[in-house]
């Protein structure tokens, strides 16, 4: 029957497109046991994989008299070939078997005594066999045994650990996540060397069968949130996930918002810090971007260096970043409102200068601003997508032609160019790209409102935006917490960053049970006055 | 009713924003001349006494809003009629505040924009906020209160550093005796903004900790009263009692006088932000009370459905309520105070409390 299934598969391949099954997904491997005849098994593997040349099938003989045939199957490039040859193939082929064994005993002998790899187990189902094979394990089949050995020999080429590209820190670790799930999780394990760092893996994507792992610290993370994450991940029923953005969009609380409710990062230290605050991290094979939930608004203004450098500069930088966010949000809208409706609010010499510049400009301020903003967005998009070498050309065109010549030609006023430039620089200075993008979209809405109602429009726009922000939740946690609802104990890590010894509590709404982060009396004191400090030093919360 | 809860801290925030709402920008109690701060503080004391009446009623019926417990107190027929009156009253006040707000905006910044479109933008925002619910409104309030306070302290420092405060403008205290002050208290400041606290009788059931309601409310009202008194006192000190009593927006005139270092001047936008944020929360709370009252009264399960229609009514009413601003102001002082505020904020709640107290005593004796 099984063989028939194999042949059927072959027929379908010949038929081509009509052979696709009803659901539009790739053919599911049926839940059937492995056959006992080796040749038949090899045939089925061949047919199922379409004789792909990277599926290596290595036949060899084992046994006292070398009479029992066996085969080893692995995917070239997914396994560590040196490992396979040295610790699997060589012992199996060179081993001397003292007595003649039955195939069943031989099978167990091979598992227990010959295969010199860490993880090895028996499997009996085809579906399991193909899953393991495709994830980089080596399969050993023996003639006469309806079972297979599966040895973990994962390996192959990956990008090396490099400095993260998107979140650069002057002070801080230089390692960033790679595309390998295992390397990524090991980077966290090295930072949090604690058995309570728990991990669960699952496969998502019917076709891609992508490995996804969730990680949290048992006892710190809120169980309800962990359950919620698992439930939302298990709900996903999709053919493929190629990047963590797929997962993000499938598990976020609200789709119709420009604000990100899932945090993503390339930095292991950021993930470790978030795990220690009670959050849950979602890793995925094939992307260096790790998701962190639940996310709150203020998190997108926190850079890792805030915690590494001293609190005074960190606080100043936090304020600066919030200011930057507002500048990138309302700068063009303010220009439009001030020049169209509220000229009296600009100091007189400046308003005369602006009016003189705008005299030659044929468009109303709104059109002027819109033209410049759209031009800038085009330049930016071109700069991101173009190859590096061409990128310089774009920046020259942007700076000279559009910046200078547009003013000289009388398309826009130079004040407008300044406003657009400030907005552009501000939107690049936001530490998390995700929040800069939402500011980028809302900016245009605010420009329209400013053109219609001046400052009134801008304030109403900000008001609606704030109401919207306050109504958002990320995995049940209010998005604006700890600002609204205000939690005084957690205020120290919002617009301010209090000294490290004053970080007493974890975020109350995220880690609900185990909130104490450090002992009392952590403030450094000059020698001679620290009588009570020593007793607390060994304590961990 | 929504199934959400707000904390005592959030109630406090809502009260502060509500009380400051339009009271901060309109010429509140200016007929008391330089004693206006005294009139506000006395109004506040009266308002707190009135609140204690509402609070007793709330403690008798901690789980239901005003429009529901009137039906328990005076029976379904009269109760429903009274609940209807209160619902209409809240919606009417929402549209009055909306009109105030639109007129203010119209006169000082947008003389050529139609009142309707200014009001429409505001009511759309209010509808969105009310749609999101009281919890979201409260959280938004928490964010904006901080912002407003920073703004207020900044403005205060600017007024002082610009050398505008002339304390002799506040003298003599009680030049004409107590009589004009009491008159202003009982015709203006007691009702607006302190008596309007009746709207919180619709909000109290959402509290997660009823024990703290009294404390939060009294502190909130006290702080608002003091803030308003200080603001009006500064207005008088800067502009002088005569100018204040003739001014349409004393606070705006004060802010326009600020001139520091030839650079910080024409800070009208400060005023506008205070006006819009306060106006938003005041209209939102009235509108919310109206929507919840109507949905309770007419048995609408999901109060979201009423938001669109009632919002449109409030918008139209705000335009149709008076032909011009002076008529609107005159209505506010002569008619609304006497025929609406006095009975609905003072007389009826006290009667209700007496009836409820008798009922409860009788009921307790029986059981």
């Amino acid at each position: 029957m099984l063989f028939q299934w194999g042949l059927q598969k072959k027929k379908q391949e010949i038929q081509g497109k009509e052979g696709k099954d009803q659901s539009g997904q790739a053919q599911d491997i049926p839940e059937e046991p492995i056959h006992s005849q080796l040749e038949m098994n090899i045939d089925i593997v061949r047919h199922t994989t379409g004789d792909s040349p990277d599926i290596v099938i290595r036949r060899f003989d084992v046994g006292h008299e070398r009479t029992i045939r066996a085969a080893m199957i692995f995917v070239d490039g997914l396994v560590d070939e040196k490992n396979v040859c040295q610790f699997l193939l060589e012992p199996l082929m060179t081993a001397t078997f003292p007595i003649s064994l039955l195939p069943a005993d031989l099978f167990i002998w091979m598992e227990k005594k010959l295969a010199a790899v860490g993880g090895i187990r028996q499997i009996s189902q085809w579906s399991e066999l193909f899953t393991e094979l495709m994830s980089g394990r080596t399969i050993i089949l023996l003639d006469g045994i309806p079972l297979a050995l599966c040895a973990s020999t994962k390996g192959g080429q990956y990008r090396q650990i490099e400095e993260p590209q998107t979140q650069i820190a002057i002070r801080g670790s230089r390692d960033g996540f790679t595309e390998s799930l295992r390397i990524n999780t090991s980077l966290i394990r090295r930072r949090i060397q604690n058995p309570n760092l728990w991990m669960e893996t699952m496969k998502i994507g019917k076709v891609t069968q992508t490995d996804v792992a969730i990680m949290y610290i048992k006892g710190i993370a809120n169980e309800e949130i962990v359950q919620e994450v698992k439930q939302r991940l298990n709900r996903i029923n999709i053919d493929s996930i190629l990047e963590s953005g797929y997962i993000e969009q499938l598990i976020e609380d609200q789709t119709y918002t420009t604000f990100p409710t899932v945090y993503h990062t390339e930095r292991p230290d950021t993930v470790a810090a978030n795990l220690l605050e009670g959050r849950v991290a979602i890793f995925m094979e094939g992307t260096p971007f790790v998701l962190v939930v639940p996310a709150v608004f203020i998190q997108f203004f926190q850079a890792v260096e805030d915690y590494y450098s001293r609190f005074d500069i960190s606080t100043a930088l936090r304020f600066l970043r919030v200011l930057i966010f507002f500048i990138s949000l309302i700068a063009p809208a303010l220009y439009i409102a001030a020049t169209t409706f509220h000229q009296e609010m600009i100091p007189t010499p400046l308003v005369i200068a602006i009016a003189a510049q705008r005299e030659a400009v044929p468009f109303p301020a709104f059109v002027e601003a819109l033209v410049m903003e759209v031009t800038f967005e085009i330049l930016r998009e071109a700069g991101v997508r173009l190859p590096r070498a061409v990128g310089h050309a774009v920046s020259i065109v942007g700076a000279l032609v559009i910046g200078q010549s547009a003013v000289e030609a009388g398309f826009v006023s130079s004040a407008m160019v300044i406003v657009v430039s400030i907005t552009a620089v501000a939107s690049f200075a936001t530490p998390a790209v995700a929040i800069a993008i939402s500011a980028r979209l809302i900016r245009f809405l605010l420009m329209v409102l400013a053109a219609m109602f001046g400052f009134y429009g801008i304030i109403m726009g900000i008001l609606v935006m704030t109401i919207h922000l306050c109504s958002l939740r990320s995995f049940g946690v209010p998005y604006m917490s700890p600002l609204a609802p205000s939690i005084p104990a957690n205020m120290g890590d919002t617009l301010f960053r209090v000294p490290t010894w004053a970080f007493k509590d974890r975020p109350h709404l995220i880690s609900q049970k185990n909130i104490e982060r450090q002992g009392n009396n952590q403030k450094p004191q000059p020698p001679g006055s620290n009588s009570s400090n020593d007793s607390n030093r060994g304590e961990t919360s | 009713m929504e199934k959400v809860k707000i904390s005592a801290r959030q109630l406090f925030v809502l009260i502060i924003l509500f009380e400051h709402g339009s009271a901060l920008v309109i010429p509140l109690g200016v007929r008391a001349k330089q004693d206006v701060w005294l009139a506000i503080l006395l109004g506040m004391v009266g308002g707190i006494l009135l609140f204690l009446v509402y609070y007793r009623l709330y403690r008798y019926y901690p789980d239901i809003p005003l429009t529901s417990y009137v039906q328990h107190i005076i029976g379904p027929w009269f109760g429903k009629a009274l609940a209807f009156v209160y619902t209409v009253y809240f919606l009417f006040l929402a549209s009055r505040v909306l009109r105030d707000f639109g007129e203010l905006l119209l006169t000082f910044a947008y003389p050529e924009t139609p009142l309707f479109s200014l009001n429409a933008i505001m009511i759309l925002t209010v509808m969105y906020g009310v749609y999101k619910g009281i919890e979201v409104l409260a959280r938004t309030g928490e964010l904006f209160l901080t912002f407003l306070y920073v703004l207020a302290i900044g403005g205060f420092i600017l007024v002082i550093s610009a050398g505008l405060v002339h304390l002799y403008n506040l003298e003599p205290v009680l030049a004409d005796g107590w009589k004009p002050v009491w008159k202003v208290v009982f015709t203006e400041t007691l009702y607006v903004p302190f008596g309007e606290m009746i709207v919180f009788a619709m909000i109290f059931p959402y509290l997660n900790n009823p024990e703290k309601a009294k404390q939060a409310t009294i502190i909130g009202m006290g702080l608002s009263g003091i803030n308003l008194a200080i603001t009006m006192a500064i207005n008088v000190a800067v502009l002088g009692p005569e100018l204040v009593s003739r001014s349409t927006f004393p606070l705006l005139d004060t802010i326009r006088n600020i001139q520091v270092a030839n650079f910080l001047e024409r800070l009208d936008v400060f005023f506008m932000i205070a006006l819009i944020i306060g106006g938003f929360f005041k209209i939102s709370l009235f509108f919310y009370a109206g929507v919840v009252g109507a949905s309770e009264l007419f048995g609408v399960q999901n109060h979201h459905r009423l938001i669109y229609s009632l919002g449109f009514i409030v918008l139209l009413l705000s335009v149709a309520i008076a032909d011009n601003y002076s008529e609107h102001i005159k209505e506010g002082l002569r008619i609304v105070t006497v025929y609406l505020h006095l009975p609905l904020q003072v007389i009826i709640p006290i009667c209700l409390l007496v009836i409820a107290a008798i009922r409860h005593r009788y009921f307790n004796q029986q059981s």
Side-chain angles (χ1 to χ4, degrees), chain A residues 86 133 180 225 336 490 521:
Chain A
Q86 203 173 341
L133 180 65
S180 158
I225 292 176
I336 295 171
N490 294 140
N521 261 330

Side-chain angles (χ1 to χ4, degrees), chain A residues 60 62 66 72 88-95 110 114 140:
Chain A
F60 56 96
V62 287
R66 301 266 158 206
M72 183 179 286
L88 278 180
L89 203 54
E90 198 188 319
L92 286 171
M93 288 176 73
T94 58
M110 279 161 64
L114 294 177
I140 301 166

Side-chain angles (χ1 to χ4, degrees), chain B residues 1-15 51 55 58-59 62-64 134 138 200-217:
Chain B
M1 271 182 65
E2 295 179 275
K3 283 191 182 60
V4 293
K5 289 288 172 192
I6 59 171
S7 65
R9 179 198 300 272
Q10 289 174 328
L11 177 75
F12 169 79
V13 167
L14 284 178
I15 287 169
F51 157 72
Y55 178 75
Y58 162 61
R59 291 321 297 258
D63 300 324
I64 49 174
I134 189 76
F200 279 87
M202 305 291 290
I203 311 286
F204 286 139
Y206 293 113
L207 273 179
N208 61 4
N209 192 350
E211 305 297 321
K212 287 187 180 165
K214 193 171 169 183
Q215 198 192 355
T217 314

Side-chain angles (χ1 to χ4, degrees), chain A residues 272-308:
Chain A
N274 277 307
L275 288 173
L276 287 165
E277 284 191 342
R279 292 194 173 86
V280 181
I282 303 170
F283 293 79
M284 203 195 104
E285 180 76 38
T287 177
F289 288 99
V290 172
L291 304 179
V292 177
V293 291
V296 295
F297 182 69
I298 201 74
Q299 205 178 348
F300 295 90
F301 296 92
Q302 299 167 341
V304 274
E305 267 173 295
D306 291 0
Y307 304 94
Y308 302 156

Side-chain angles (χ1 to χ4, degrees), chain A residues 362-433:
Chain A
F363 310 114
F366 173 65
V367 177
E368 189 190 353
L370 198 65
V371 167
M372 272 319 273
E373 281 294 328
V374 171
T375 314
F376 169 68
E377 293 295 338
I378 293 171
L379 277 177
R380 160 147 74 180
E381 193 60 17
V384 172
R385 305 285 160 234
L386 279 180
R388 286 254 155 91
V390 196
H392 293 293
V394 171
S395 55
I396 289 168
V397 169
L400 291 181
V401 179
I402 303 199
Q404 208 174 336
S405 311
V407 174
E408 281 171 14
F411 274 112
V412 291
S413 61
S414 41
M416 189 64 232
V417 175
I418 295 172
V419 169
V420 171
S421 315
I422 289 175
T423 318
V425 175
S427 74
F428 287 131
T430 320
V433 191

